[in-house]
Amino acid sequence: MSLKSPSKGRLISHFEAHLTPSHGKAWSDLWDLGESDLWDRGIPSPALLDLIVSRQDMFSPWRVTNAVGVNVPAMVRKRALVPGCGRGYDVVALALHGFDAYGLEISSTAVSEARSYAEEQVKAPSAYNYAGTEYGLEAQSALVAGSSGGKARFVQGDFFEETWLEATHEGMGSGTGRDDIGNSGKFDLIYDYTFLCALHPSRRSDWAERMAELLWPGGFLVCLEFPMYKDPDAPGPPWGVNGVHLELLNGGKENGGGGKFLRKVYYKPEKTYKVGEGTDMISVYERKRDV
């Protein structure tokens, strides 16, 4: 879910009328009322696209694995998740770049709209799904738009519950180990743009724990941190997140913290949505392998 600064008054007043446990329904109600324009950006994240194409050492959509009982290595698509995916812009872009990408939304209306959007884009991808020519990717973009693309799938459910995960197992084998041709409910990559800032602050520790549960050890959580300009004590949504990610994921320390993640990348993106220009930060956290 992405949020536009000029509409903060409407969002805050809407959520003030709901107790925290009913915030999921409050988001769903806004979709049903046709008010998704309060946060809809209309395109995938330019900062995310720049990251995945410039750091192929970290974000190749492929990995090599062995099937259980078979000594022949196989190339397996990595699985990506976008919680609070909205109309699915980032999900489709990740799929076009080779990932099997899953978008999670609490609203059935959002899931329906995302599926319609994805169907159109898979047939005729828009140019905004690809990063600029500074990476020399014109040929790669054309290839990715063809047969090499991964799946874009959308499921309805509550991020903190388990039931929606079953819907991401489509086409997978019965094994649960990562060496079983990647057949597991966990993910190699999770992208969070405005999912954390849309959650009530009382759920932040739950968010961090759930991210650790859903990612493979060695997997990456990519966060486009927004809104960094807002006072963390000010009412939301969106709630300010300056300094929040590192504290939640690794105890406020890059390496020596006691959390389940290590921050591997942190920078201000050259390209991002207009509402976050000059303040957005990209952070990449690796799920620790030993906790």
Side-chain angles (χ1 to χ4, degrees), residues 31-99:
W31 276 101
D32 293 342
L33 290 168
E35 295 190 70
S36 60
D37 60 331
L38 291 169
W39 58 81
D40 190 274
R41 299 284 193 248
I43 60 171
S45 167
L48 172 64
L49 293 176
D50 275 357
L51 175 70
I52 63 174
V53 300
S54 65
R55 292 299 306 268
Q56 282 290 292
D57 57 319
M58 299 178 73
F59 298 109
S60 166
W62 297 96
R63 58 181 169 81
V64 180
T65 188
N66 288 327
V68 173
V70 179
N71 292 322
V72 178
M75 296 295 291
V76 178
R77 289 187 192 276
K78 292 179 181 177
R79 285 162 46 89
L81 173 69
V82 183
C85 67
R87 283 192 175 80
Y89 307 116
D90 297 313
V91 178
V92 169
L94 286 168
L96 290 172
H97 282 78
F99 294 88

Side-chain angles (χ1 to χ4, degrees), residues 29-239:
D29 287 346
L30 288 172
W31 276 101
D32 293 342
L33 290 168
E35 295 190 70
S36 60
D37 60 331
L38 291 169
W39 58 81
D40 190 274
R41 299 284 193 248
I43 60 171
S45 167
L48 172 64
L49 293 176
D50 275 357
L51 175 70
I52 63 174
V53 300
S54 65
R55 292 299 306 268
Q56 282 290 292
D57 57 319
M58 299 178 73
F59 298 109
S60 166
W62 297 96
R63 58 181 169 81
V64 180
T65 188
N66 288 327
V68 173
V70 179
N71 292 322
V72 178
M75 296 295 291
V76 178
R77 289 187 192 276
K78 292 179 181 177
R79 285 162 46 89
L81 173 69
V82 183
C85 67
R87 283 192 175 80
Y89 307 116
D90 297 313
V91 178
V92 169
L94 286 168
L96 290 172
H97 282 78
F99 294 88
D100 279 341
Y102 297 85
L104 174 65
E105 261 295 344
I106 201 162
S107 162
S108 60
T109 300
V111 169
S112 178
E113 293 191 20
R115 287 173 177 166
S116 296
Y117 169 78
E119 184 177 2
E120 295 174 357
Q121 287 296 308
V122 168
K123 292 177 181 176
S126 299
Y128 57 55
N129 287 296
Y130 308 106
T133 57
E134 62 266 34
Y135 301 109
L137 291 175
E138 299 94 330
Q140 178 181 327
S141 296
L143 176 63
V144 167
S147 60
S148 69
K151 296 184 298 185
R153 298 287 185 268
F154 299 91
V155 295
Q156 181 187 2
D158 186 325
F159 176 73
F160 299 102
E161 297 179 359
E162 295 295 320
T163 53
W164 61 269
L165 274 172
E166 291 296 324
T168 73
H169 297 173
E170 177 186 351
M172 291 166 51
S174 58
T176 57
R178 189 173 186 180
D179 288 336
D180 185 16
I181 311 294
N183 292 333
S184 168
K186 293 192 176 185
F187 298 90
D188 302 277
L189 169 66
I190 301 179
Y191 177 58
D192 185 311
Y193 171 36
T194 51
F195 187 64
L196 176 61
C197 76
L199 293 173
H200 190 274
S202 64
R203 309 261 10 221
R204 286 175 174 172
S205 61
D206 297 332
W207 171 90
E209 187 63 32
R210 185 63 167 148
M211 289 296 185
E213 292 173 354
L214 290 171
L215 272 170
W216 277 111
F220 294 110
L221 169 59
V222 177
C223 302
L224 179 56
E225 299 181 11
F226 168 90
M228 297 290 277
Y229 55 79
K230 187 172 181 178
D231 184 342
D233 294 325
W239 279 272

Side-chain angles (χ1 to χ4, degrees), residues 245-259 261-262 288:
H245 292 78
L246 186 60
E247 182 63 37
L248 288 172
L249 298 171
N250 199 28
K253 299 180 180 179
E254 295 213 27
N255 295 313
F261 291 85
L262 291 176
K288 290 181 181 178

